[in-house]
Amino acid sequence: MNGGFHIVVCGSIVPDPLQTLAPIEGPTGPALKNELMLPAVLDPWAGHALYEAANLAKNVPDSKVWLVSLGPKAKLQQLMMSIAQKVSFELVVLDGPAGGFTDPCEVAAALAGGINGIAGLDRSRLLLFGGCSSASRDAGVTMQMVAEQLGIGDQFLGVDELTIQADGSMKLLERIEGGQYQVSTCTGAPAMLAWATGNLPEPPNNPQIGMMNMRTVMPALQKAQPAPVGAAGVSYLGVELPKQRRETRIVKDLSVDEVAREIVEWLKG
Amino acid sequence: MDSSSSENRGTELMSTLPGDDVRQIMWRFAERYEVQMVVQSARSLARGVVARLVAEGARNTHEWNDKKGQLLKGFDELGLTSVFMDPEEGGFIAGPKNLVLALMAFELSWVDGGAATCSLASNLALSPIHEKGTPEQRLTYMSRCVPPLPGEDRKIWRGAFALTEPLPYVGVDTGILSGRMRVAEWEEGQEPLLQVEKRGRFITNMGFANFVTAAVDSDDPRIKGSAMVILEEDDPGVFDRGATTLKLVHQLSSTSDPILSLKVPASRIIGGYTIKDGVIIPNCNHGDVIESVFRRTRVPVAVMSSAKLLSAIEPVIRYQRTRFRGGSASSAGSPRYDLGLQQKEDALQRLVDVWAAGEAGAALGFAAARLFDEFDPIEREKDKLLIERGITGSRAQMKMFKEVEKSALEFVALEHQPAAERDMARYQELAADTLVQYLVKESQANVLCPACKLWNTGHGATMMREAVSLMGGYGITEDCPGFLTQKWTDAQLEATYEGPEAVQRRQLSITMTNELFLAQFRLWIKDLYAIATQRPGTGANALANAMELWLWTLEFLQKSKDAEGKALYHSQRHGVVFPFADALCWLLASRQQILDLLELEEKGPENPVVASGLAGFVNFFSDLCHVQAARSAGEAGRICAELVYGYQRDLAAINADDTEFAALRHKADVSMAGARLFKDRAAAAVSKVMIPEALDYPI
């Protein structure tokens, strides 16, 4: 491989998890009550992927990051006021629904189409990043489908760590059952990595980065291509929120060890 | 507005709390992405570091410490420190920054007012240099206060602004100074060295400031008048940070009473100096500097108090709704369980009052900030012009502006004429005249600034107490969600610092009678009547009637005498002019609230996110406008009545005036028709609006 990686991150918005989410029957099928008006955040899993991508690009010279987002462009624009301050990337916008009542296959096709349209993207250097899951009614299959449509055979799911080794190969840790990792080695790009949480904290906002990103973000939003994805042929029998169990206590005078011990005891049942 | 949309507006309730898209339109920064980014940064700091500090009890100490120091690190890392600077000084926003600083203060104050003050205080220290400093002073100190860029090895400088002095003078009169400067050394052909003595009190940022901009007076016949001087911590002499002020509020800002006795070069006089006949003459006296500074920095303080009112809404709704959950008295699905205290009219309507006051204050504060953004470049251009024309000295300027005022009045009249009817050539000529534009904007700024500082903080503190009361006993606990008691008590300081309420009332009592302002005020009344016709339901009619009443009362007060033959309207007659200034503030806040609503109604459809819930938002904000307009009309009417009748023993003395006043008062009163019905509808919206599951910052 010549030069660094071309990292394409697939990620979009989900309603802020603190918001009240109430399923309703909309004119075109199930929807969330007031979804368009609720504040949105970057899907947390996609966020991990984006921060890992930016970190990798920083450490491997001549690398570049694109963020491909499928969602309502007005909502994406709001999100960019925060996300675009955190890491450097070039935005590709597909203007369509971001709700979870869409078929992953249609979503994957739209994302693959968007990626295929990126000018200057070198497929031989391509690392396709995304979340292994989503906070928006997760099917957990979208990234694999995008990879298949792009002809990427090396796929890694639930990735928590990527190390570029001295010979240029990639060492990856994937989550498997029992809190363990599967360690894999891949000779290099192209590959698809569907990230779990990774190891990086959310970068703080930096308006200087934001101002740099805005030079490309706003034009990208203006030339967003419509992507009317849905769930053709699917009929929903019912939609309901998962049962919640929230037992919140506010504790201010316990040490970290004591809190941890209590949680372990609770987990043991 | 077509009938279908009108009908739709008549029934649709607001479904969610107003988000960023709505606020960006109302407060006019939808097109300013750099400002939106600063808002997000300030919010992330406020609801992260700041909220944790408050929740962990950092407010329980007066002293500045490392824990509180996280704030400064946060300001630096998130770019908030650099917001005040221009790009050539290391900042990232070009042009005036009044609106962005107000928004930043709004976001920080949403969680803690002290954190906002801490952020603003460095800018306050820099403001004298920014406004009146020489180009060298500006570049030096603004650049030093920018956080180091990657690869740079230097410390970041932080400043403190030292005006107020120890008792008995503290805060009494900015014209009285005990701080002194005298010539320490002055060798032939060399720059003079000054010995500066300054004892400060209530000086913010003193715990960590590297430099102080201090107001001092001459104590030497070789120096003329007063000045502001830059003092650095490494200057020879005493730079004692002094005893920590034992504030009960705003503990996330560092405040102490410094003792400064330092020898500095005369080049530290802000704005520079000239030497005439062996005397150092500062180019700007301290009064000029602080007038220019305060009229800008007071606006973010005003906005801070309004942010608190608006921040109280969500926690109060959550408290009210969940009040009866968890006990045996209500079961899931019952109205008592779902609505809690919101079953009761009083709980809802009082919250509507808090909300309406917060909206009106924010509207007024942000309008003032935007006005200063327009005013700043005009003022700089005016300063340049006066220098070019050799017009120096306040008397010469007053004489010249007296002439310009006629043109300014002509411009105001032309501007309010329909475009097709106005003399376009003359209008364009006056629109391009810097001095005319300066006078027009200044006449507004001189009223809006003290009005928002006075009303937002003073009435805001009262309404913040109301918000606390809506949380019952929980409201006065340390872990009350939203830190409401802290916000209430903090508001008292906001009403006090940077010019207490009496100072604002004093300024208003002079500026609100400016003929150019009054000419605009009269046209605003006309506009409001037009709004009332085209867009009923906003309270514009009640407000216009109350403004007419106020205007009539002003003329009455200016021409009338009391029962003992003393003139009623006199700048020293505070019993008349101060409450009358209060009345004006109510009216101005309410007017601006209506203008924000109209902006949302006009621009909302352009944003698909806002458009989807626009009818509900417009309904709700219209109702709040109406509630506030009725309250404002009531307050103004009460004050005017007290002033018109309160100084007469015999009504016969004002018989003809009485009839006229009574008619105007009656007109204002009856125009409140329906206001309570709008309040009912606003209350219904509050009982149904969707709120998040939990507050987005810790408690």
Side-chain angles (χ1 to χ4, degrees), chain B residues 276-297:
Chain B
K276 195 174 173 189
D277 302 329
V279 174
I280 298 168
I281 305 171
N283 292 339
C284 305
N285 67 44
H286 92 285
D288 290 343
V289 179
I290 62 175
E291 185 198 338
S292 172
V293 167
F294 275 157
R295 68 177 175 186
R296 287 166 175 81
T297 56

Side-chain angles (χ1 to χ4, degrees), chain A residues 128-153:
Chain A
L128 178 64
F129 279 24
C132 70
S133 191
S134 166
S136 179
R137 296 161 299 269
D138 173 31
V141 296
T142 310
M143 289 310 299
Q144 298 93 304
M145 290 181 175
V146 178
E148 288 298 328
Q149 296 200 34
L150 293 173
I152 300 171

Side-chain angles (χ1 to χ4, degrees), chain B residues 28-78:
Chain B
R28 326 295 202 277
F29 63 106
E31 305 299 325
R32 295 192 60 187
Y33 307 117
E34 78 285 18
V35 175
Q36 292 175 27
M37 285 194 285
V38 171
V39 167
Q40 294 299 328
S41 289
R43 186 177 301 166
S44 70
L45 184 73
R47 300 184 197 193
V49 171
V50 175
R52 277 197 300 277
L53 282 172
V54 179
E56 288 166 10
R59 289 178 56 121
N60 297 338
T61 57
H62 300 295
E63 290 75 19
W64 188 253
N65 53 35
D66 289 345
K67 203 169 179 184
K68 295 180 188 179
Q70 292 172 45
L71 275 180
L72 303 178
K73 193 163 167 265
F75 295 148
D76 297 345
E77 286 180 352
L78 294 178

Side-chain angles (χ1 to χ4, degrees), chain A residues 18-20 33-34 36-38 74-75 77-78 81 85 204-205 207-208 210-211 214 218 246 250 252, chain B residues 15-16 20-21 24 33-34 36-37 40-41 55 77-78 92 609 612-613 617 690-693 696 699:
Chain A
L18 284 176
Q19 298 295 323
T20 304
K33 189 177 176 186
N34 300 321
L36 200 55
M37 282 186 289
L38 295 177
K75 298 290 284 182
Q77 183 175 319
Q78 281 300 329
M81 297 309 148
Q85 294 192 64
N205 285 11
Q208 311 268 13
M211 297 296 277
M214 275 303 142
M218 295 316 295
R246 178 175 288 174
I250 296 169
K252 293 186 172 181
Chain B
S15 49
T16 62
D20 283 329
D21 310 82
Q24 286 160 10
Y33 307 117
E34 78 285 18
Q36 292 175 27
M37 285 194 285
Q40 294 299 328
S41 289
E77 286 180 352
L78 294 178
F92 57 94
V609 174
S612 66
F617 284 124
M690 206 162 107
I691 62 165
E693 295 279 318
D696 65 352
I699 56 172

Side-chain angles (χ1 to χ4, degrees), chain B residues 573-626:
Chain B
R573 191 146 199 188
H574 296 172
V576 175
V577 293
F578 281 17
F580 198 59
D582 290 345
L584 176 65
C585 296
W586 281 92
L587 302 173
L588 294 175
S590 205
R591 171 182 175 266
Q592 200 56 51
Q593 188 183 5
I594 292 172
L595 296 183
D596 281 6
L597 163 72
L598 297 182
E599 182 78 8
L600 177 66
E601 198 169 13
E602 184 191 334
K603 305 276 172 63
E606 295 167 15
N607 180 317
V609 174
V610 177
S612 66
L614 184 62
F617 284 124
V618 167
N619 271 342
F620 181 70
F621 285 123
S622 296
D623 296 342
L624 287 191
C625 284
H626 214 126

